[in-house]
Amino acid sequence: AMSGTPALLLEVARKAEKPIVTLEDAAGLAQRLFGLDPVPGSVEDLDSYDDRNFRLSARGGEALLVPADANEASPAGVAHYVLKVHNGVESMDLGFIDAQNLAMLRVRASGIWCPRALSSVDSTLIARAELPLANGTLRSH
């Protein structure tokens, strides 16, 4: 689908289709989509070129089965997560996102630690939400 679109047009579209997500939105998405209970005030916006990324501390969610995944986890059951919201271009290409998730799993299977996608409350590795773009258009991300 995107393979026939010139790279420059895709690049312009990625910037134009960067989703609008507030810190409160990110906390709500983490709770609704992943069953996490974000610690109040812990959500931070991370710099990103064309996606939206947030660091947050939370309780609940999928158990961190690999000790290395509990990086900086506190005894109170709080773990640290990154919530990624893809831009409108990549959000339309689930195969692209799936390939990223599979690449992380492949690296981990080789014995090298790297981040991984957590399962959503629907037991999928890709969770979707309707979010606005800069022009106000709603898009499934």
Side-chain angles (χ1 to χ4, degrees):
M2 291 194 311
S3 61
T5 307
L8 183 57
L9 289 178
L10 285 176
E11 193 61 26
V12 170
R14 282 185 187 93
K15 291 300 287 180
E17 296 191 21
K18 185 172 185 170
I20 305 298
V21 185
T22 66
L23 297 179
E24 294 78 21
D25 293 337
L29 290 170
Q31 188 171 43
R32 190 172 78 247
L33 300 175
F34 296 97
L36 298 174
D37 181 17
V39 173
S42 72
V43 181
E44 302 172 44
D45 193 357
L46 300 175
D47 193 27
S48 177
Y49 181 72
D50 56 12
D51 297 320
R52 295 302 308 271
N53 298 299
F54 300 88
R55 181 186 188 274
L56 61 111
S57 299
R59 292 178 179 82
E62 181 179 315
L64 299 176
L65 303 176
V66 178
D69 285 347
N71 185 23
E72 297 181 31
S74 76
V78 173
H80 306 288
Y81 299 89
V82 172
L83 174 71
K84 181 176 194 70
V85 181
H86 286 273
N87 65 67
V89 173
E90 269 89 29
S91 292
M92 301 300 287
D93 188 355
L94 296 182
F96 176 79
I97 298 169
D98 191 45
Q100 290 180 336
N101 290 341
L102 292 173
M104 288 187 289
L105 290 175
R106 183 69 173 233
V107 169
R108 289 172 70 93
S110 76
I112 300 170
W113 186 90
C114 74
R116 66 181 173 96
L118 296 180
S119 294
S120 70
V121 295
D122 296 331
S123 299
T124 62
L125 293 181
I126 300 172
R128 300 183 66 80
E130 292 286 321
L131 298 167
L133 303 176
N135 68 6
T137 304
L138 280 179
R139 171 68 61 85
S140 181
H141 294 274

